[in-house]
Amino acid sequence: MPLIPLRPLLAATQRYGFAQGAFNVNSVIQAEAVIEAHEMFRSAAILQGADLANAFMGGNADFLKGTLEDKQRGARLIGEAVKRLSQDSSIPVVLHLDHGKDFASVKAAIDGGFTSVMIDGSHLPFAENVELTREVVQYAHERGITVEGELGVLSGVEDDVFSDHSTYTNPLKAVEFCKKTGVDCLAISYGTKHGAVKGENVQLRKEIVIAVTENLKHEGIFGVLVSHGSSLVPRYIVEKINQLGGTIKGANGIPMDELKSVIKAGIGKINIDTDLRLAVTRNIREYLVGNSSAPKNPVLKAVAELMSQKPEQFDPRGYLVPIMDSFITGQATDPEVLDIFKSIKQGVQEVVGTLIVEFGSVGSSAKVEAVSLEEMAQRYQRNS
């Protein structure tokens, strides 16, 4: 099935009352794993490449300093791979840019084959955020591409997205923002937090979600709400990593019952990144510890050394540098590297499969209209 824009999937979440997990990937291997897990549960799928993930997939190991050229290469690589995987799949698949930094980064993703983009102007004054987001919406909608905006600031760290403090989204400003920009969905700040350290016993500001949702309905504005910083940080995975030599401290996620309560209140897209990193890291540590021949393999030895140097590290991009090119493309001939890839896929599928069930998207593929970008562009034009 060809890739679809995000808009029809958002419409299905709103109509049928479920949420769709949106899973961040940094390689073709992870993309394959996400799609295969969704196929198993007959769920539509959202794959996300963050702005700097595209820089990594473009070949820059120091992705925090990724250039526009790096992002363009990475967007083309993952765009072509996901397009190919989607063509052979029975489910609708969306490729979404997460945390687009500026117009140039968004354009790089669209040119690379992404069917949905996020422009993150949340750090800007309201008027500047509106202006930037509206510019992206106009460019993207002309091409049938869905747009996600953001209003309010989440605390925590994710790649180069960082803030010490949260600024909760003002529901009235959210309605004004959607009206002025024409975004299809809006990421809001209501108590979630980027990263693995979210604090204990998190309680989400569900009233913010309800207020934004009801005000949008009252104004007749289509807009599905998005939850960033929503990883659950499963304790059993963190504990296993630490048993195997890791030193992850203070890790706490969003409680599942809290997330389920906001799905009913109007959250239709839930972003997951940290949980995938944790599961992959645990599986790789298990493999390296349990495989007696690993120390004899020079590339696996180099991976193990990087993990031991930074035992608190759980982002695979930080320690898979010795096999970076193979990790990104999924192509390797070394049997033990292929075993590592198998471990990566199993970790991703464990998390993804669990959340497909918990978020209620099992069987959703039949509820999502398979709209082409060309048809979506025509719809946007008719409704403008």
Side-chain angles (χ1 to χ4, degrees), residues 372-384:
S372 68
L373 295 181
E374 293 74 19
E375 170 60 23
M376 198 70 243
Q378 292 173 8
R379 294 185 187 183
Y380 284 133
Q381 186 176 20
R382 287 196 296 267
N383 294 329
S384 62

Side-chain angles (χ1 to χ4, degrees), residues 120-294:
D120 183 359
S122 60
H123 59 288
L124 298 171
F126 182 80
E128 293 179 28
N129 190 358
V130 167
E131 183 179 357
L132 174 61
T133 304
R134 185 162 50 199
E135 180 185 15
V136 169
V137 167
Q138 181 177 352
Y139 183 85
H141 281 186
E142 287 174 352
R143 292 155 179 79
I145 307 293
T146 309
V147 180
E148 174 184 334
E150 182 164 3
L151 192 63
V153 178
L154 271 67
S155 63
V157 181
E158 181 183 338
D159 288 353
D160 64 339
V161 180
F162 169 79
S163 178
D164 283 324
H165 304 286
S166 293
T167 303
Y168 290 120
T169 302
N170 180 326
L172 295 179
K173 282 292 188 181
V175 174
E176 182 184 351
F177 184 85
C178 291
K179 185 180 293 185
K180 288 183 173 180
T181 62
V183 291
D184 303 279
C185 54
L186 181 67
I188 62 171
S189 175
Y190 68 107
T192 57
K193 183 178 180 180
H194 290 302
V197 182
K198 304 182 192 293
E200 295 186 24
N201 304 315
V202 172
Q203 290 187 319
L204 302 178
R205 294 282 302 275
K206 186 168 64 173
E207 67 274 14
I208 295 176
V209 180
I210 294 171
V212 176
T213 299
E214 292 304 316
N215 282 324
L216 287 173
K217 286 180 182 177
H218 181 74
E219 294 291 329
I221 299 171
F222 179 89
V224 171
L225 302 186
V226 180
S227 182
H228 284 232
S230 305
S231 284
L232 292 97
V233 190
R235 186 167 298 278
Y236 75 97
I237 296 179
V238 174
E239 289 176 350
K240 189 63 177 179
I241 290 173
N242 289 342
Q243 289 171 12
L244 294 166
T247 57
I248 300 174
K249 299 178 181 178
N252 291 284
I254 307 298
M256 183 65 78
D257 59 349
E258 288 288 301
L259 275 181
K260 285 187 173 182
S261 72
V262 295
I263 292 172
K264 295 176 182 178
I267 294 289
K269 175 175 176 279
I270 301 177
N271 288 12
I272 301 294
D273 187 356
T274 296
D275 289 354
L276 300 176
R277 301 182 189 190
L278 289 168
V280 167
T281 296
R282 178 206 56 194
N283 282 14
I284 292 176
R285 282 189 174 277
E286 283 181 332
Y287 179 80
L288 293 175
V289 169
N291 183 0
S292 59
S293 64

Side-chain angles (χ1 to χ4, degrees), residues 22 105 310 321:
S105 298
K310 291 187 176 182
V321 176

Side-chain angles (χ1 to χ4, degrees), residues 2-18:
L3 284 168
I4 68 165
L6 179 59
R7 176 68 180 247
L9 178 46
L10 294 173
T13 67
Q14 195 174 70
R15 180 176 181 182
Y16 296 102
F18 66 92

Side-chain angles (χ1 to χ4, degrees), residues 307-356:
M307 296 184 88
S308 65
Q309 289 169 12
K310 291 187 176 182
E312 76 282 0
Q313 172 72 266
F314 61 88
D315 183 345
R317 293 172 295 182
Y319 57 77
L320 289 182
V321 176
I323 57 171
M324 176 178 170
D325 291 342
S326 297
F327 169 58
I328 291 170
T329 63
Q331 298 175 358
T333 56
D334 185 325
E336 290 181 310
V337 172
L338 291 173
D339 284 341
I340 289 286
F341 292 171
K342 183 178 179 181
S343 296
I344 290 170
K345 290 186 71 173
Q346 288 174 340
V348 169
Q349 290 174 338
E350 175 184 337
V351 170
V352 172
T354 299
L355 296 182
I356 290 172

